[in-house]
């Protein structure tokens, strides 16, 4: 499995197409949620993914402070094959990249509530009550360097 990490400005057309195709398949089609999946935050983001001969297997976007929160943030987390450790691995890579690229000591996410355990395993702590985002239960969570 190959790890890829590129700023939006470095992505090839084919990479961007594959990323958007995956995100739309999961967040729009699979989750039956009509919302603006492709947004302006993508332009500020680092896109991090794990790929093999079959394509992208896990993905997330890493956003600088001020793009969505005052802190660095991670979002759009996907593991194509679930319950195989890919989600944990891509989240760990996102934290590592946040520290390396932005010197992040704190990372904020809005996690779908069902995935809370995945993020807790990575060191995130719930920091809000549950709320609906586009009709899906979410919680805000924070990772903080000790």
């Amino acid at each position: 499995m190959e790890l890829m990490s590129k700023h939006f400005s470095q992505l090839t057309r084919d990479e961007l197409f594959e990323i958007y195709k995956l995100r739309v398949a999961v967040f729009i089609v699979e989750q039956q949620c009509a919302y603006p999946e492709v947004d302006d935050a993508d332009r500020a983001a680092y896109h991090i993914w794990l790929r093999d001969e079959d394509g992208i297997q896990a993905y997330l976007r890493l956003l600088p402070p001020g793009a969505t929160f005052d802190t660095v943030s991670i979002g759009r987390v996907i593991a194509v094959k679930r319950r195989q450790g890919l989600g944990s691995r891509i989240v760990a890579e996102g934290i590592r990249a946040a520290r390396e690229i932005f010197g992040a000591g704190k990372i904020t996410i809005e996690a779908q509530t069902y995935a809370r355990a995945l993020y807790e395993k990575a060191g995130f702590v719930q920091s809000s009550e549950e709320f609906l985002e586009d009709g899906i239960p979410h919680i805000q969570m924070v990772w903080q360097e000790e």
Side-chain angles (χ1 to χ4, degrees), residues 21-34:
K21 185 177 173 184
L22 174 62
R23 285 176 23 186
V24 167
V26 171
F27 297 124
I28 304 295
V29 179
E30 179 183 313
Q31 295 184 350
Q32 299 178 4
C33 185

Side-chain angles (χ1 to χ4, degrees), residues 22-103:
L22 174 62
R23 285 176 23 186
V24 167
V26 171
F27 297 124
I28 304 295
V29 179
E30 179 183 313
Q31 295 184 350
Q32 299 178 4
C33 185
Y35 76 105
E37 169 46 37
V38 177
D39 61 20
D40 290 333
D42 279 323
R43 292 182 182 275
Y46 281 83
H47 300 266
I48 301 169
W49 67 98
L50 293 166
R51 69 174 300 114
D52 64 15
E53 62 278 352
D54 295 325
I56 297 174
Q57 298 303 312
Y59 166 88
L60 63 74
R61 75 176 181 182
L62 172 64
L63 293 164
T68 54
F69 298 103
D70 291 341
T71 67
V72 170
S73 64
I74 290 172
R76 306 296 202 265
V77 178
I78 299 171
V80 174
K81 297 174 185 169
R82 295 177 178 122
R83 308 260 184 244
Q84 296 188 16
L86 292 173
S88 294
R89 185 168 169 200
I90 199 69
V91 170
E93 291 294 347
I95 293 168
R96 183 197 56 74
R99 295 174 77 196
E100 183 179 299
I101 296 167
F102 298 115

